[in-house]
Amino acid sequence: MKVLLINGSPHAKGSTYTALNEMEKIFAENGIETELVHVGNQDIRGCIACGSCKKTGKCAFDDLVNETAEKFKECDGLVVGSPVYYASANATVIAFLDRLFYSTHFDKTMKVGASVVSARRGGLSATFDELNKYFTISGMPVASSQYWNSIHGNNADEALKDREGLQVMRTLAGNMSFLMKSIALGKKEYGLPEKEEKEWTNFIR
Protein backbone atom coordinates (compact mmCIF):
# COMPACT_ATOMS: atom_id res chain seq x y z
CA MET A 1 0.00 0.00 0.00
CA LYS A 2 1.10 3.55 -0.60
CA VAL A 3 0.34 7.00 0.78
CA LEU A 4 1.10 10.19 -1.11
CA LEU A 5 1.94 13.15 1.13
CA ILE A 6 1.67 16.73 -0.12
CA ASN A 7 3.74 19.39 1.63
CA GLY A 8 2.03 22.69 0.91
CA SER A 9 4.52 24.77 2.85
CA PRO A 10 7.17 26.85 1.06
CA HIS A 11 9.62 25.57 3.67
CA ALA A 12 10.87 22.07 2.85
CA LYS A 13 11.65 21.18 6.47
CA GLY A 14 9.34 23.43 8.47
CA SER A 15 6.39 22.80 10.79
CA THR A 16 4.19 21.18 8.15
CA TYR A 17 6.97 18.80 7.17
CA THR A 18 7.53 17.95 10.85
CA ALA A 19 3.90 16.84 11.13
CA LEU A 20 4.03 14.81 7.90
CA ASN A 21 7.32 13.23 8.91
CA GLU A 22 5.81 12.07 12.20
CA MET A 23 3.10 10.33 10.20
CA GLU A 24 5.64 8.73 7.87
CA LYS A 25 7.21 6.90 10.80
CA ILE A 26 3.90 5.23 11.66
CA PHE A 27 3.13 4.37 8.06
CA ALA A 28 6.54 2.67 7.85
CA GLU A 29 5.75 0.65 10.98
CA ASN A 30 2.55 -0.51 9.25
CA GLY A 31 4.39 -1.57 6.11
CA ILE A 32 2.94 1.28 4.05
CA GLU A 33 5.13 3.03 1.50
CA THR A 34 5.13 6.82 1.40
CA GLU A 35 6.16 9.49 -1.08
CA LEU A 36 6.42 13.17 -0.24
CA VAL A 37 5.75 15.81 -2.90
CA HIS A 38 6.86 19.35 -2.04
CA VAL A 39 4.35 21.74 -3.56
CA GLY A 40 4.55 24.90 -1.48
CA ASN A 41 7.72 26.27 -3.09
CA GLN A 42 6.54 25.76 -6.69
CA ASP A 43 5.16 28.28 -9.18
CA ILE A 44 1.69 26.81 -9.70
CA ARG A 45 -1.09 28.81 -11.28
CA GLY A 46 -4.77 28.29 -10.62
CA CYS A 47 -7.38 26.58 -12.77
CA ILE A 48 -8.76 28.72 -15.61
CA ALA A 49 -11.78 26.47 -16.31
CA CYS A 50 -10.70 25.93 -19.93
CA GLY A 51 -12.13 22.41 -20.08
CA SER A 52 -9.05 21.03 -21.83
CA CYS A 53 -8.65 18.22 -19.29
CA LYS A 54 -12.03 16.77 -20.30
CA LYS A 55 -10.64 16.15 -23.78
CA THR A 56 -7.03 15.22 -23.01
CA GLY A 57 -7.28 13.67 -19.54
CA LYS A 58 -4.67 16.03 -18.12
CA CYS A 59 -4.30 19.67 -17.20
CA ALA A 60 -3.44 22.14 -19.97
CA PHE A 61 -0.63 23.52 -17.81
CA ASP A 62 2.03 20.82 -17.83
CA ASP A 63 3.69 21.19 -14.45
CA LEU A 64 3.79 19.43 -11.07
CA VAL A 65 0.05 18.81 -11.22
CA ASN A 66 0.36 16.44 -14.18
CA GLU A 67 3.50 14.90 -12.69
CA THR A 68 1.56 14.08 -9.53
CA ALA A 69 -1.63 12.87 -11.20
CA GLU A 70 -0.40 9.32 -11.87
CA LYS A 71 0.96 9.05 -8.33
CA PHE A 72 -2.44 10.11 -7.04
CA LYS A 73 -4.13 7.48 -9.19
CA GLU A 74 -1.92 4.69 -7.85
CA CYS A 75 -1.93 5.60 -4.15
CA ASP A 76 -4.27 4.21 -1.50
CA GLY A 77 -4.26 7.35 0.61
CA LEU A 78 -3.56 11.06 0.27
CA VAL A 79 -2.35 13.38 3.03
CA VAL A 80 -2.36 17.12 2.34
CA GLY A 81 -0.43 19.38 4.68
CA SER A 82 -0.48 23.16 4.70
CA PRO A 83 0.53 26.06 6.90
CA VAL A 84 -2.13 28.59 7.85
CA TYR A 85 -2.22 31.85 5.90
CA TYR A 86 -4.94 34.25 7.13
CA ALA A 87 -7.03 31.34 8.46
CA SER A 88 -6.71 29.58 5.10
CA ALA A 89 -4.39 27.17 3.34
CA ASN A 90 -1.40 28.33 1.33
CA ALA A 91 -2.72 29.63 -2.02
CA THR A 92 -0.18 27.52 -3.90
CA VAL A 93 -1.47 24.25 -2.50
CA ILE A 94 -5.08 25.31 -3.16
CA ALA A 95 -4.25 26.04 -6.80
CA PHE A 96 -2.49 22.66 -6.96
CA LEU A 97 -5.43 20.76 -5.43
CA ASP A 98 -8.05 22.54 -7.57
CA ARG A 99 -6.29 21.47 -10.73
CA LEU A 100 -5.24 18.01 -9.49
CA PHE A 101 -8.74 16.99 -8.45
CA TYR A 102 -10.51 18.59 -11.41
CA SER A 103 -8.20 17.32 -14.14
CA THR A 104 -7.95 13.70 -12.92
CA HIS A 105 -11.01 11.77 -14.02
CA PHE A 106 -10.22 8.40 -12.45
CA ASP A 107 -12.48 7.10 -9.69
CA LYS A 108 -11.23 8.31 -6.31
CA THR A 109 -13.87 6.38 -4.36
CA MET A 110 -12.49 4.88 -1.15
CA LYS A 111 -9.02 6.38 -1.42
CA VAL A 112 -8.44 7.61 2.13
CA GLY A 113 -7.79 11.31 2.63
CA ALA A 114 -6.39 13.28 5.54
CA SER A 115 -5.47 16.93 5.97
CA VAL A 116 -2.81 18.29 8.31
CA VAL A 117 -2.38 21.95 9.22
CA SER A 118 0.29 23.91 11.05
CA ALA A 119 0.30 27.40 12.53
CA ARG A 120 2.04 29.54 15.05
CA ARG A 121 -1.25 30.10 16.84
CA GLY A 122 -4.67 30.38 15.15
CA GLY A 123 -6.69 29.66 12.01
CA LEU A 124 -6.12 25.92 12.16
CA SER A 125 -9.69 24.61 12.21
CA ALA A 126 -10.78 26.80 9.25
CA THR A 127 -7.86 25.56 7.17
CA PHE A 128 -8.50 21.97 8.25
CA ASP A 129 -12.12 22.24 7.07
CA GLU A 130 -11.06 23.83 3.78
CA LEU A 131 -8.71 20.98 2.86
CA ASN A 132 -11.12 18.20 3.84
CA LYS A 133 -13.66 19.37 1.26
CA TYR A 134 -11.50 18.02 -1.57
CA PHE A 135 -11.92 14.52 -0.15
CA THR A 136 -15.62 14.64 0.65
CA ILE A 137 -16.58 15.80 -2.86
CA SER A 138 -14.64 12.85 -4.33
CA GLY A 139 -16.02 9.87 -2.43
CA MET A 140 -12.88 9.64 -0.28
CA PRO A 141 -13.28 8.60 3.37
CA VAL A 142 -11.61 11.11 5.69
CA ALA A 143 -9.28 9.74 8.35
CA SER A 144 -9.53 11.25 11.81
CA SER A 145 -7.37 11.36 14.92
CA GLN A 146 -7.90 12.08 18.61
CA TYR A 147 -8.20 15.83 17.91
CA TRP A 148 -8.19 18.08 14.87
CA ASN A 149 -5.17 17.28 12.72
CA SER A 150 -3.08 20.29 13.66
CA ILE A 151 0.30 21.16 15.08
CA HIS A 152 1.55 24.41 16.59
CA GLY A 153 4.91 26.01 15.96
CA ASN A 154 6.42 28.86 14.02
CA ASN A 155 9.19 26.55 12.81
CA ALA A 156 10.24 22.90 12.99
CA ASP A 157 11.99 23.27 16.35
CA GLU A 158 8.86 24.72 17.93
CA ALA A 159 6.63 22.09 16.30
CA LEU A 160 8.74 19.35 17.85
CA LYS A 161 7.82 20.76 21.27
CA ASP A 162 4.09 20.34 20.60
CA ARG A 163 3.88 16.89 22.13
CA GLU A 164 0.11 16.68 21.76
CA GLY A 165 0.28 17.76 18.12
CA LEU A 166 2.88 15.09 17.36
CA GLN A 167 0.72 12.49 19.11
CA VAL A 168 -2.25 13.59 16.99
CA MET A 169 -0.15 12.91 13.87
CA ARG A 170 0.88 9.46 15.06
CA THR A 171 -2.72 8.57 15.93
CA LEU A 172 -3.90 9.89 12.57
CA ALA A 173 -1.36 7.79 10.67
CA GLY A 174 -2.30 4.70 12.69
CA ASN A 175 -6.00 5.22 12.08
CA MET A 176 -5.41 5.91 8.41
CA SER A 177 -3.33 2.74 8.07
CA PHE A 178 -6.10 0.68 9.64
CA LEU A 179 -8.73 2.29 7.45
CA MET A 180 -6.81 1.72 4.22
CA LYS A 181 -6.17 -1.92 5.07
CA SER A 182 -9.81 -2.44 6.06
CA ILE A 183 -11.04 -0.88 2.82
CA ALA A 184 -8.68 -3.08 0.82
CA LEU A 185 -10.13 -6.18 2.51
CA GLY A 186 -13.67 -4.90 1.96
CA LYS A 187 -13.03 -4.23 -1.74
CA LYS A 188 -11.68 -7.75 -2.12
CA GLU A 189 -14.68 -9.30 -0.38
CA TYR A 190 -17.52 -7.04 -1.50
CA GLY A 191 -16.24 -4.71 -4.23
CA LEU A 192 -16.91 -1.00 -4.35
CA PRO A 193 -20.42 0.39 -3.80
CA GLU A 194 -22.49 0.60 -6.96
CA LYS A 195 -22.91 4.08 -8.34
CA GLU A 196 -25.94 5.66 -9.91
CA GLU A 197 -25.51 7.76 -13.02
CA LYS A 198 -24.74 11.24 -11.79
CA GLU A 199 -27.55 13.78 -11.74
CA TRP A 200 -26.64 17.38 -12.60
CA THR A 201 -28.97 20.10 -11.39
CA ASN A 202 -28.50 23.75 -12.36
CA PHE A 203 -30.52 26.12 -10.19
CA ILE A 204 -30.64 28.95 -12.72
CA ARG A 205 -32.68 28.15 -15.87
Side-chain angles (χ1 to χ4, degrees):
M1 306 198 83
K2 184 171 183 177
V3 170
L4 183 64
L5 301 107
I6 305 298
N7 182 1
S9 170
H11 304 291
K13 301 287 184 178
S15 302
T16 304
Y17 169 81
T18 301
L20 296 174
N21 183 247
E22 196 72 9
M23 294 183 70
E24 284 187 295
K25 299 172 187 176
I26 304 303
F27 287 134
E29 291 176 5
N30 281 273
I32 294 172
E33 182 185 351
T34 58
E35 182 175 355
L36 181 67
V37 177
H38 190 199
V39 171
N41 67 342
Q42 301 293 308
D43 183 14
I44 298 174
R45 64 166 302 149
C47 177
I48 62 169
C50 66
S52 174
C53 61
K54 293 180 180 178
K55 301 173 184 176
T56 65
K58 63 180 182 179
C59 185
F61 301 110
D62 196 16
D63 57 12
L64 187 62
V65 172
N66 286 340
E67 291 178 31
T68 308
E70 190 63 27
K71 298 175 182 179
F72 184 22
K73 182 178 181 180
E74 297 302 322
C75 75
D76 302 284
L78 178 70
V79 180
V80 179
S82 176
V84 173
Y85 288 8
Y86 291 92
S88 180
N90 179 357
T92 302
V93 77
I94 292 299
F96 175 85
L97 292 173
D98 282 350
R99 288 173 49 212
L100 179 69
F101 274 78
Y102 192 73
S103 66
T104 51
H105 302 134
F106 55 82
D107 189 4
K108 302 171 183 67
T109 303
M110 296 303 157
K111 288 182 183 291
V112 180
S115 62
V116 168
V117 293
S118 67
R120 182 191 68 83
R121 191 166 180 86
L124 292 156
S125 60
T127 306
F128 176 61
D129 290 341
E130 178 183 22
L131 293 175
N132 281 334
K133 290 179 173 66
Y134 288 92
F135 311 135
T136 57
I137 201 172
S138 304
M140 297 172 63
V142 180
S144 60
S145 184
Q146 66 197 48
Y147 194 74
W148 295 306
N149 306 338
S150 56
I151 193 165
H152 285 85
N154 200 41
N155 53 53
D157 290 338
E158 289 185 2
L160 287 170
K161 296 176 183 177
D162 183 3
R163 292 170 55 191
E164 182 179 355
L166 293 172
Q167 187 179 62
V168 166
M169 298 306 144
R170 293 193 296 271
T171 303
L172 174 61
N175 289 349
M176 190 171 178
S177 300
F178 177 82
L179 187 54
M180 288 188 298
K181 291 177 179 179
S182 298
I183 288 172
L185 289 173
K187 285 168 67 175
K188 185 177 180 180
E189 182 71 21
Y190 304 110
L192 289 173
E194 291 186 12
K195 288 190 175 183
E196 296 182 14
E197 184 176 346
K198 190 163 185 176
E199 298 280 357
W200 295 93
T201 302
N202 296 328
F203 294 104
I204 305 299
R205 297 291 184 184

